[in-house]
Amino acid sequence: MESVLSDLPPKAMKTGMLASSSIIRAVIEQLRYTYPESERMPPIVIDPVMISTSNHTLLPSDAIGELCFGLLPLARVITPNIQETELLLRCLRAGKANQHHSDVKVGELVKEQEAGQGDRIQSIQHMISAGQEIADILQAEHLTVLVKGGHLPMSKEALKSSLRDVAKGAEVVWKGESNGADVEQEGFVEVLHAYRSQATHQRSNSEEEKYVVDVMVEADSRIKLFVAPAIKSASTHGTGCTLSAAIASNIALGKSSMSRQVAGKTICSGC
């Protein structure tokens, strides 16, 4: 890291799976050594790879603690999936309640997560609330939390119902186009459904169309909902890494938060 950072100073950085607490500490120490003035540190996109699609924890407890309390405060963008968001929130809440992070029993929190205990994210509003709470606890300047909704596919009717439940002020984005700040327009969902149905006319009539929503909570508390068709595929390994890498690349290019997210989703969806 020292050789690369000194020879080719980056305009943005991205982390993926960091498999142990020692690796995470090494990354933190090198970043703080290279950028002793935190405001000079390039934006960091953190993909907190911790939980598999089948809800199995991929990191040991001490690594999860190091990630939550050491690395996340350095982030400009965090891109957890729903299960990772739930676990991050458990850990950050416990850390907020304990003066010393070493007192947080991360192993117990992981067991609760794997057992399906405690608060679960089951709606768009839950995703928004979780993203907002993570941002509030971290209190990092310019932080954006992107909660990915790929594990929460929903039908057209469920999507319409969820959007009705979302507080006014959220902005809905479809294929890079925004409908402004009114999420109560049911006609918007009808347009999405008609567009997608036409584009996939070969789909069996018996197979109901599904949608997924990524929730972006920005530093200024603005909320954007990125709606996309759920893609039925078993070849989804690495899509989260691709998305976070695309976001980091577009940060380096100086693009806005919406532009870089749209670019990342376009790459991942193959649109």
Side-chain angles (χ1 to χ4, degrees):
M1 281 184 65
E2 183 174 2
S3 297
V4 172
L5 293 175
S6 60
D7 185 42
L8 300 168
K11 292 185 177 180
M13 297 179 281
K14 172 255 180 185
T15 66
M17 183 170 181
L18 302 173
S20 69
S21 58
S22 59
I23 292 174
I24 297 173
R25 280 197 300 272
V27 171
I28 295 169
E29 290 169 4
Q30 186 60 55
L31 289 172
R32 294 198 181 282
Y33 173 78
T34 305
Y35 306 103
E37 299 176 13
S38 58
E39 64 272 12
R40 299 179 66 87
M41 188 180 296
I44 303 174
V45 179
I46 296 178
D47 182 11
V49 182
M50 300 187 298
I51 301 178
S52 68
T53 301
S54 55
N55 203 33
H56 286 92
T57 307
L58 304 173
L59 299 184
S61 299
D62 60 340
I64 293 173
E66 199 71 51
L67 174 66
C68 288
F69 307 127
L71 190 58
L72 286 190
L74 304 180
R76 176 71 61 87
V77 181
I78 305 171
T79 64
N81 61 33
I82 285 177
Q83 289 91 336
E84 289 162 348
T85 300
E86 292 172 342
L87 183 54
L88 287 179
L89 199 47
R90 291 174 191 269
C91 293
L92 291 173
R93 283 172 175 169
K96 184 178 179 180
N98 287 272
Q99 186 175 1
H100 302 289
H101 293 155
S102 58
D103 293 336
V104 177
K105 296 178 174 58
V106 177
E108 294 181 6
L109 299 176
V110 170
K111 290 180 181 178
E112 291 177 4
Q113 173 72 24
E114 291 182 335
Q117 299 172 357
D119 294 340
R120 314 300 294 185
I121 295 175
Q122 299 176 319
S123 69
I124 295 174
Q125 186 57 59
H126 290 168
M127 295 168 70
I128 292 173
S129 299
Q132 290 173 324
E133 188 173 353
I134 288 173
D136 288 344
I137 293 174
L138 289 174
Q139 295 184 330
E141 190 176 6
H142 307 304
L143 175 66
T144 294
V145 180
L146 177 68
V147 181
K148 299 178 293 188
H151 294 167
L152 190 64
M154 58 188 73
S155 66
K156 180 184 72 170
E157 293 304 319
L159 175 60
K160 289 165 64 175
S161 177
S162 291
L163 290 180
R164 283 195 296 268
D165 292 338
V166 173
K168 286 187 176 181
E171 183 177 346
V172 180
V173 182
W174 168 258
K175 294 181 75 68
E177 298 294 331
S178 169
N179 78 321
D182 184 1
V183 299
E184 294 189 333
Q185 298 177 3
E186 292 189 13
F188 178 74
V189 179
E190 299 290 353
V191 170
L192 305 192
H193 188 69
Y195 176 92
R196 181 61 177 166
S197 296
Q198 182 180 12
T200 58
H201 61 274
Q202 72 278 10
R203 183 184 294 272
S204 168
N205 291 332
S206 63
E207 188 173 355
E208 184 179 29
E209 189 68 52
K210 297 285 187 179
Y211 298 92
V212 294
V213 180
D214 293 344
V215 171
M216 178 186 287
V217 178
E218 299 188 89
D220 56 5
S221 300
R222 286 184 299 175
I223 298 167
K224 290 186 173 68
L225 310 178
F226 292 85
V227 182
I231 298 175
K232 187 176 181 180
S233 173
S235 304
T236 56
H237 183 74
T239 51
C241 298
T242 301
L243 176 62
S244 56
I247 290 172
S249 299
N250 281 275
I251 289 176
L253 293 172
K255 293 188 177 181
S256 68
S257 59
M258 178 168 152
S259 296
R260 63 201 186 216
Q261 167 66 3
V262 169
K265 290 289 287 185
T266 299
I267 291 171
C268 289
S269 301
C271 298

